[in-house]
Amino acid sequence: MDKDTHQPMELDIAAEFTAPTWEEWKKAVEDTLKGVPYEKAMITKTYEGIDLKPIYRKEDLLGLKHLNSLPGQAPFVRGNTAEGYVNSGWVIAQQQNAWNPAQANKVLLDELNRGLTGINLKLDYFTQCAMNPPEDGLDLDGIWLSNLDDVCTLFKGIDLSAVPVFIDGGEASVLILGLINAYLIKQKMLPFTLNGFVGFDLLSLLTVDGNLLYTEEDMWMPMYHLSAWAAAKAPNLRTILLDGTVWGNHGASSTLELGYLIATANEYIKALLDKGMSIEQIAPRFQMNLTLGSNLFMEIAKVRAARLLWAELLASYGAPEELQKIWIHGVTSYFNKTIYDPYVNMLRTTTEGFSGVIGGVDSMEILPFDCTVRPDEEFSRRIARNQQIILQEEAHLDRVIDPTGGCYYIETITAQLAELAWKKMQTIEEAGGAFQAIKDAVIQEELTKLALERMQNVDKRKDIFVGINMFANPLEQPLEPVEETCECEWKAHLDKIVAIQATNRDGLEAALDILAKKYQDAMVIDSVTDTFLHGATLDELFVFLYPEDGDLNVPDLPGCRATIGLESLRERIVEYQQENETVMSVFLANMGPIAQHKARADFVTGYMQVGGFYIAGNDGFASVDEAVDAALFSKAQAICICSTDDTYPELVPQIVSKLKAAKPEIVCILAGYPTDMVETYKQAGIDIFIHLRANLFDTLRELGIKMGVKL
């Protein structure tokens, strides 16, 4: 080559620059912190017990055995199949819950034509308990099924061999599967064509309700009947639910949720092995429902850790590698959803759905944004469904395989979550197992304690919820509740059931005689199916199959959400204003130029709006008399002095004394908390201090009481 030809310079960054060591990097960070300890400023504490670091390195992955696997290989951290979502995507399994089977069928057909790829049915409380609803109430949040005609109506025009079905049948699960099998027979279909899930989670149900309809002696029989029948006749059907949403929606961290699930799974496996089933029959029967919360990377790691834990548990029972995979159904969290500013829930569910997909769920449902307020309706269903479709069709998340594989951050916390959850499972086992831990209320107490901590952190603004404890809109109008169903329609449906039971149904008595003899038989669902084909109804058959009342009672888990305290407080304050046709307002006595009071005035405004109080703001006052006159003219029930700590010694006594003299009942508030002067200002007449460290809930509650609200 000609020596005059230009030669591009080759840049070798590694040769030009020496890579800094970890210690050098950390020292550089500490130098910028100006004396603040590195651990305090840069480490994030989580509810999981994991300390999140600001940066993760290759060295963090040393010793992590699961990194040696590929997608579709044990321990299946990277997904159950080598192709991931590329061939078919995850199953879009939005929940359908219209109470009337005919209406549910109409909605279901519409949803399937608009992108739904799985039938996820929510049965109403009374169907899951196999009883008819009382005259004083119908559970509108769920489908009411009573006999084979209802099931035929529900599935009219739907090919169950072409789409997976997801049904939590509760304690009536054996009968629900019998109903579906009867429907298949009527449609001249075989049960092996059925794909999906029909079953329940016995222990989570016990924990939520506090009791079972079965006796303790017979409590494992329904799970045995479901699993044995499916293993023999419906190999693609899962029948044992590990419902992590019960734990997640009662405040559990990812560590507790996974720990409880693995402990529960261990309990179920042992119970079914005792019934004579093999691990090869049991393993494919499981489905795990996971809560998808707001901590994006932690939720991604949770899905992956769940697979790692499951493979480890199955391996301990000698299950072959191919059976160490599990179907994971992701459900966005209810615990962190809000009543006020509900449209922010759309943003929450979007990130939660994203984390589920990136983590590798097999199917998913996104809660409608208005789920805390009312049963879903067409608009909220469409938005929730389209969120999943957008993730598939526009974000193209179904075109990549395990996008987080090898990510230092996610792989590290995946391993940490799995380790902590396994230790939690071992602790439960040492205490006698999951069932014993529930009977002893160990799990309930632990979960309640954490849920209370999380709710208190919302009250203290340690955890931020937009629209609730930050950036609240006091003028917001609540969503309108959905109009309830016509009582006459419900009564007609109930009358139909009563009429059916009063008729002489040919062959039913003989079918019941056979069922009575087959109760201990593994294939009892065949006999259950036969009774439905001869006209049996759900409630009468349950009593026949399980005649003895349940004798097991445990402390139940109270329902809760993270923001319920502040929402209830705001709701009561708003109700008080409506009842008394008044406006509860706080006048800001902003003293001095804008630069002097603005920061505290803005803080107080946002603070008070959380409680639904009206804030009377202004650009500031030059004198005490001017501020007092304006405050009295506003007729506000409370006044908040906003200025600087340096000006307060002169301003506070004058303003408070003049206000109290003219209006003794007025509530006087001070923006800030000058520690050395607090007692002095209290003696001067300050009732409440508003500052960063104050408990938001307690402060607003105290203010509401002082302004006349009964709380």
Side-chain angles (χ1 to χ4, degrees), residues 374-423:
R374 60 193 182 188
D376 58 48
E377 38 85 42
E378 197 279 331
F379 175 72
S380 60
R381 285 197 305 270
R382 175 166 61 86
I383 293 296
R385 181 185 67 246
N386 285 348
Q387 284 175 288
Q388 294 206 54
I389 294 173
I390 288 170
L391 291 175
Q392 280 192 359
E393 302 297 332
E394 296 187 27
H396 301 307
L397 297 184
D398 59 347
R399 299 187 185 182
V400 292
I401 301 172
D402 186 31
T404 60
C407 171
Y408 299 161
Y409 178 18
I410 293 176
E411 296 289 17
T412 301
I413 61 175
T414 294
Q416 289 175 322
L417 263 182
E419 181 181 2
L420 290 170
W422 190 264
K423 288 180 178 178

Side-chain angles (χ1 to χ4, degrees), residues 200-327:
F200 71 125
D201 184 341
L202 179 76
L203 293 184
S204 71
L205 185 63
L206 170 63
T207 313
V208 171
D209 289 348
N211 56 71
L212 290 176
L213 299 177
Y214 321 121
T215 62
E216 184 172 352
E217 181 182 358
D218 289 339
M219 63 182 287
W220 302 115
M221 288 301 291
M223 188 177 297
Y224 168 64
H225 288 147
L226 289 163
S227 302
W229 186 87
K233 298 196 172 184
N236 296 318
L237 187 67
R238 301 176 296 279
T239 56
I240 308 170
L241 182 59
L242 299 172
D243 193 0
T245 66
V246 167
W247 314 120
N249 290 331
H250 283 84
S253 64
S254 295
T255 298
L256 290 185
E257 183 176 342
L258 293 176
Y260 294 161
L261 287 177
I262 295 302
T264 300
N266 195 38
E267 193 86 45
Y268 293 163
I269 291 173
K270 289 188 291 186
L272 293 176
L273 288 173
D274 288 343
K275 293 292 184 184
M277 295 184 69
S278 68
I279 193 65
E280 288 77 14
Q281 292 174 308
I282 297 168
R285 306 280 76 81
F286 279 90
Q287 173 174 305
M288 185 181 292
N289 288 8
L290 287 181
T291 315
L292 301 174
S294 56
N295 189 336
L296 179 69
F297 295 106
M298 190 67 73
E299 300 307 308
I300 294 172
K302 178 166 68 177
V303 178
R304 297 163 62 84
R307 297 193 186 280
L308 182 58
L309 287 162
W310 181 254
E312 185 72 21
L313 180 66
L314 268 289
S316 71
Y317 280 98
E321 283 192 354
E322 181 59 26
L323 294 181
Q324 292 174 18
K325 59 179 68 172
I326 188 170
W327 186 281

Side-chain angles (χ1 to χ4, degrees), residues 631-632 636-639 656 659-660 663-668 685 687:
L632 294 173
Q637 297 95 332
I639 179 175
V656 174
L659 282 171
K660 294 281 188 180
K663 190 176 181 180
E665 71 278 11
I666 196 167
V667 182
C668 292
D687 300 296

Side-chain angles (χ1 to χ4, degrees), residues 163-185:
V163 61
V165 176
F166 301 83
I167 304 176
D168 183 347
E171 289 162 288
S173 290
V174 169
L175 307 187
I176 297 299
L177 184 53
L179 268 174
I180 293 174
N181 189 40
Y183 170 78
L184 293 175
I185 291 174

